[in-house]
Amino acid sequence: MNTIPDFSDTERSIVEQTVKERYGKPIDVQSADAEIRLYPDDRELTSVPVLYWEARDAHFVIFKVGEKSYRNQFFYTAREQFGTGREEYDEIGDCVITLLRLQADHESMRVNES
């Protein structure tokens, strides 16, 4: 069985610093595990490490799916889940920055619709 390494201290630091810069204050970034399909045709779920945080009524998740391979998502409710349109990232910085930018754009649209 191929196990995926946990987030390194450097990866975690990049995420925490980028999130702090986005919101202007430290945000609690938590470590967890999730079971996902690594490939669309997989029948079995694979346990992968994740980084999770909440800010401004949104929930954020970065999945580590390989040595330098990441997926991301943000959501408000089980029915309102969003990705960035890109399947995977090979740089954690690009992954978190793109996720935060897309959510900020989405947040602006939600405010304008209200």
Side-chain angles (χ1 to χ4, degrees):
M1 184 171 137
N2 187 11
T3 58
I4 296 167
D6 205 355
F7 286 91
S8 69
D9 290 343
T10 301
E11 291 168 324
R12 184 178 184 82
S13 178
I14 290 168
V15 171
E16 289 173 341
Q17 183 61 35
T18 306
V19 170
K20 181 180 177 183
E21 289 173 11
R22 164 70 173 96
Y23 296 106
K25 64 181 181 179
I27 300 290
D28 183 27
V29 177
Q30 300 174 21
S31 297
D33 293 306
E35 290 188 329
I36 65 170
R37 287 186 176 86
L38 288 180
Y39 306 100
D41 295 338
D42 282 354
R43 290 179 172 237
E44 300 295 320
L45 298 176
T46 301
S47 181
V48 300
V50 301
L51 293 177
Y52 168 84
W53 69 94
E54 298 175 22
R56 296 186 181 169
D57 297 325
H59 307 266
F60 300 84
V61 182
I62 295 180
F63 305 88
K64 187 168 184 179
V65 296
E67 181 62 41
K68 289 191 95 190
S69 190
Y70 315 92
R71 295 180 189 167
N72 59 24
Q73 152 180 68
F74 72 93
F75 60 96
Y76 299 98
T77 66
R79 289 185 173 175
E80 290 184 293
Q81 297 183 23
F82 305 93
T84 60
R86 183 168 163 185
E87 184 68 27
E88 288 185 8
Y89 295 81
D90 58 6
E91 293 292 332
I92 190 78
D94 292 343
C95 181
V96 68
I97 288 169
T98 304
L99 181 64
L100 290 170
R101 283 182 182 158
L102 186 68
Q103 189 278 328
D105 292 346
H106 191 269
E107 183 178 60
S108 293
M109 287 186 339
R110 285 175 64 133
V111 169
N112 290 336
E113 290 174 357
S114 298

